[in-house]
Every structure is written in structure tokens, then in C-alpha cells.
């Protein structure tokens, strides 16, 4: 069991969201946004269900968190996401000026790092939290698809 | 008057959307998506109104066009947008595999070109259509803000 309010603790909750996606036959990526130890957004990938390439977990979580806060900048907020954000989500995170992004598995092919390198100067980025678990659910999904 | 169904003709319609944004005190960027000479989506920037950094004109147009088509890939579609898409919108356009993107004014600071260089290999990109008009409305907006 991960320590309460640790990065592992919150990543486990993001992983639970990824499991929800998996069960809906969506690419299993989950995200949560935390502000002052309070979870203010939870989301998972819904691109198939919504027939919308923009419906990544992070995009929905950003919209949802801003709606909760009543402001579009996500100061004092941390995004936990099971997979390295893509270029689109990296761009959205840039605009949000979010304080911290923690991701699990890396995505060397489609992730933001290889393409845009960094997010907003105000954003701290941490990677590799529950990396194996976050990667395993992706592998299981694509193996099932074959 | 621009020739019917020309890039200038459709860009003028995207500009009309930008004017709608301007009148709502939103950064004046407008977009339309055309499929087989039919306009299937119209949108303008709504980040302030919706309190949502992801509510760029292009993002809304992509979601709307996919909804209209009942499929998430925008084959045989052209996006007309008054300003060079940002990294977020460039990432979304990548996922959509849209056939053609036509933009008006360049955005060397925040545009996708400087950061990610190109969109999907399936996407033709044309720039500079009604460039002056598309740029002027942006200048007018930021001058009014000062």
C-alpha cells in the first residue's frame, strides 16, 4: 500500500481510471488532478466512445479541473497520468500552467518529450511512478487487440 | 469577392468566426472544417467564456466535425483557421489525420511549426491565405486590451 498523499498513492488512483478505460475497450490511460491533497478531476481515455481524437484522459481532466476551480490556470495542481502525455496534451498542459505533472510509463514514440521537450517553465515534471504497472496495462490492451 | 469554394472563400468564413470571437472579447481566432465543399464545422476561440484553455477554435471544430461524420478521422476534410495552430491543436490535428490544413497568419512564438515542425504525413499544409486580414484582427484585439 502506498503512503497516503504520495505520488504512488495518487498514481494508483490514475491507474484505477486506466482500468476503467480498459474495461470499456478504450486505450487504457487514466488521469487525475490533485489540488491541495484534494482530487478535483478524474478521467480516462474516451476517444472511441466519444468518437473524438481530443478525448484523451488529460484533456478531460484539465477541462474538468478548471471547471471545478472556476479559473483556467491550474496553479497548485498536480496531474497524475499513467502514460507520458502526447504532443496535444503537452500543449494543453502548457496553456494550463499546471504546477506539476507526474506520469507513469514513457511513450518514446508519441510522447511530448521527444517532440516538444518541455512543458511550461512553471511546471515540474516527474516520470516513472508505477512505471511497470502503467506500462503493463497498455501491453495487455494491445495484446488483446491482436 | 473570393471565388466560390477557393481557399480565400473559406478563409473569409473562418475570419467571420474570428470576428464573432472578437465581439465576445475572446482572442479572435476562427476555424471552419469543409468536407467535399460542405461546411461541417464552425467554431471560434472560447477559452474565456468556457474557462478552459483547451477551447481553441480548432479543437472545437475537430470535435464537431467528427461528431457530424460519425468517425474520428477527418479524411477528405480541410481545416481553415485564421491563425497558425498551436502545439496542442497541431497535436490534435495529427491524431485526426485531417487531409488539409490552411491557415492565415503565422504565429512564430506559439505556432506548431517552430515546435513540432509538421503534422501528420497525410496532411497537406498551406499558409498565408488572407494573412493580413487574419493578422490585423489579432493586432486590433491586443491593442484594445492594452
Amino acid at each position: 500500500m502506498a503512503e497516503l498523499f504520495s505520488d504512488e498513492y495518487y498514481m494508483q488512483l490514475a491507474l484505477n481510471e486506466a482500468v476503467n478505460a480498459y474495461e470499456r475497450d478504450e486505450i487504457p490511460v487514466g488521469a487525475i488532478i490533485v489540488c491541495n491533497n484534494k482530487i478535483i478531476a478524474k478521467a480516462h481515455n474516451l476517444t472511441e466512445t466519444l468518437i473524438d481524437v481530443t478525448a484523451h484522459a488529460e484533456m478531460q481532466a484539465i477541462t474538468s479541473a478548471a471547471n471545478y476551480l472556476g479559473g483556467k490556470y491550474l496553479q497548485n495542481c498536480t496531474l497524475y497520468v499513467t502514460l507520458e502525455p502526447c504532443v496535444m496534451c503537452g500543449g494543453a498542459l502548457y496553456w494550463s500552467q499546471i504546477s506539476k505533472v507526474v506520469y507513469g510509463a514513457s511513450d518514446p514514440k508519441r510522447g511530448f518529450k521527444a517532440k516538444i521537450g518541455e512543458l511550461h517553465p512553471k511546471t515540474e515534471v516527474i516520470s516513472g511512478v508505477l512505471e511497470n504497472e502503467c506500462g503493463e496495462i497498455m501491453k495487455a490492451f494491445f495484446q488483446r487487440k491482436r
Side-chain angles (χ1 to χ4, degrees), chain A residues 73-130:
Chain A
Y73 298 117
L74 304 182
Q75 284 123 345
N76 304 315
C77 291
T78 302
L79 170 81
Y80 292 88
V81 58
T82 57
L83 185 69
E84 180 184 338
C86 72
V87 169
M88 169 181 73
C89 294
L93 290 164
Y94 174 87
W95 290 122
S96 79
Q97 300 184 17
I98 195 164
S99 301
K100 190 173 160 187
V101 170
V102 182
Y103 64 86
S106 291
D107 187 358
K109 225 171 155 185
R110 306 277 186 223
F112 77 93
K113 281 221 161 162
K115 282 281 187 187
I116 55 175
E118 52 195 14
L119 302 178
H120 197 279
K122 288 185 185 170
T123 308
E124 179 191 1
V125 178
I126 292 173
S127 64
V129 174
L130 303 189

Side-chain angles (χ1 to χ4, degrees), chain A residues 5-47:
Chain A
F5 307 145
S6 66
D7 283 347
E8 288 74 17
Y9 171 80
Y10 287 122
M11 188 61 80
Q12 184 58 56
L13 299 180
L15 250 174
N16 294 351
E17 286 297 310
V19 171
N20 290 339
Y22 184 94
E23 285 170 357
R24 292 182 80 142
D25 211 22
E26 295 276 4
I27 293 178
V29 180
I32 65 165
I33 293 180
V34 176
C35 184
N36 303 322
N37 288 335
K38 184 173 175 174
I39 296 161
I40 63 169
K42 278 187 190 186
H44 61 73
N45 180 38
L46 276 173
T47 50

